Amino acid sequence: MSLLKIGVIPGDGVGPEVTEVGLKVLEKVAARDGLAYELIPFDLGGERFLKTGEVLPAGEQDRLRACDVILLGAVGHPGVAPGVLEKGILLKLRFDFHQYINLRPVRLFPGAPCPISGKGPDQIDMLVVRENNEDLYVGAGGFTYKGTPEEVAIQTSMNTRPGVERCIRYAFEAARKRAATGPFAGLSEADRAKGYSRQVTLVAKTNVLTFAHDLWQRAFNEVAADYPDVKPSYMHVDACCMRMVTNPEWFDVIVTTNMFGDIITDLGAVLQGGMGLAASGNLNPAKTAPSMFEPVHGSAPDIAGKGIANPLAAILSVAMMLDHVGSQAAGDRVRAAVAAVLAAGSPRTPDLGGKATTRQVGDAVLSALG
C-alpha cells in the first residue's frame, strides 16, 4: 500500500486539542489495519495571521495540494475579523481544490442526548449532501456608497448546471450505497412495493427563488430518472426545518444548496446530540485534489485551553477520512468505538452533561477500539 499523505491543520482554539485526540485514534486503527501514512503539519490560522499577516501563502497551498487528504481542527480567532480566516482558508481550499461536496452525516448514536422527545436512533439517521462550490459563497457582489445612509449591498447566488447536477447525482449514488444498510424507516409499504429502497429529498425554495431553484428542480427531476430504485421527493427549506424537528424519520438523503445546507446541517447536529458529535467532509470525489475533513463545532475560544472540548466530532471526521481513502472497515471500527463510549454513558465532556476531559474521552475511545 502506498504511503498516505495527510495534511494536518490544527488551527485555532480547541482545534489543536481535538486534532491531537483524533490523530491518536488514527494511529491505533491504522496500525491494526496496516495503513501506512505520513502526517504533514501546517501552521495556518489566527495566530499565524496575527504574527505575519499571512492567511494562506501560495507555497503552503501548494504543499497542501500535494497531500492525499487534509485533517482540519478549527478555524476562527477572536482577534481576527470575521471572514478573514473563513474565506482565506476554508472557502479558498474548498473552491481551489474543487471540494464540491460537503458531506454531513446526521446520526443519533444510542446514548447520545437528543432534544426531541420520543425520537431515538431509529428515527435520526440521515445524510445531508450540500453543494460546496457555488451559491452565495462564491463571493459575487459588492457595495455601493458603503458606510453612507444610501448604502447598497449585493450578494449574488450563482448556480451552474454542471455544479448542480454533479451534486444531485452524488446524492443519488449515496442513497444507493445506504440501501445496503437495511430498509429506510421513512418509506411506506406502498413505496417499497414500487421498488424503492431509499429516498433523496431536494431541499430548496422553488416558489420564491424561481430562477436558481428552478434549475435545481429541473436537474433533480432529470437525474432522478436514472435512479428508479430511489424515491425522489421535494421539500421547501422552511418545511424541512420544521419536519427535521417533528418527523426526522422522514429523511434519508437530503441534497441542497450551499447556503441552505449550511443552515440545516447545524440543525441536524443538534438532533444528533450537539456540535461535539458533528463531523464533516469537504469532498473532491474525483480526487484531483485533496479532500478535507473537519469537526464542525468551530474553534470555541471560550473553552480553548481548558481541556474540556468534545473530541468525538474530530474522531468521527477521522472515520470519514478513512472511508474516503478506501479504508471503510477501519472507519466503521472508529464509529463503533464512539458508539460504545456513548452507550456506556461515561466519560462525557461538559457539552454532553459530564465532567470528563478531552483526553479522558479520547482514551475511552482508544480503549473501545481494543
Side-chain angles (χ1 to χ4, degrees), residues 292-306:
M292 181 166 61
F293 301 86
E294 58 175 314
V296 300
H297 50 58
S299 59
D302 57 322
I303 61 169
K306 297 181 179 180

Side-chain angles (χ1 to χ4, degrees), residues 309-331:
N310 191 339
L312 294 180
I315 293 170
L316 291 169
S317 296
V318 168
M320 293 184 71
M321 182 183 74
L322 290 167
D323 294 341
H324 181 72
V325 300
S327 297
Q328 185 167 344

Side-chain angles (χ1 to χ4, degrees), residues 24-43:
K24 287 182 179 178
V25 171
L26 173 64
E27 181 180 14
K28 184 163 187 176
V29 75
R32 177 174 175 174
D33 284 50
L35 178 64
Y37 66 91
E38 174 189 4
L39 299 179
I40 305 172
F42 289 84
D43 174 25

Side-chain angles (χ1 to χ4, degrees), residues 173-184 197-198 229 252 328:
E173 290 291 338
R176 276 187 172 171
K177 290 179 182 177
R178 282 167 63 87
T181 65
F184 165 51
S197 60
R198 286 286 177 174
D229 53 317
D252 182 12
Q328 185 167 344

Side-chain angles (χ1 to χ4, degrees), residues 33 71 84 96 140 142 149 155 165 174 184 191 198 232 236 257 260-261 282 294 360:
D33 284 50
L71 187 63
V84 173
D96 289 1
Q155 195 89 24
E165 182 172 337
F184 165 51
D191 287 333
R198 286 286 177 174
H236 290 327
T257 66
F260 288 171
N282 300 282
E294 58 175 314
Q360 287 170 334

Side-chain angles (χ1 to χ4, degrees), residues 39-87:
L39 299 179
I40 305 172
F42 289 84
D43 174 25
L44 297 171
E47 292 298 327
R48 176 171 184 156
F49 175 75
L50 291 173
K51 291 176 183 176
T52 67
E54 297 176 325
V55 179
L56 180 59
E60 293 293 86
Q61 186 168 348
D62 289 342
R63 289 179 61 227
L64 279 166
R65 187 181 291 276
C67 297
D68 296 302
V69 287
I70 301 166
L71 187 63
L72 172 67
V75 168
H77 193 290
V80 180
V84 173
L85 302 173
E86 292 84 357
K87 292 177 67 176

Side-chain angles (χ1 to χ4, degrees), residues 9 15 42 44 64 69 83 94 111 130 141 152 166-167 220 230 245 251 256 261 269 300 328 347 359 364:
I9 309 174
F42 289 84
L44 297 171
L64 279 166
V69 287
R94 289 174 183 177
R130 166 190 170 191
V152 177
R166 67 187 180 184
C167 182
F220 182 79
V230 180
V245 174
F251 297 101
T256 190
Q328 185 167 344
R359 180 169 296 179

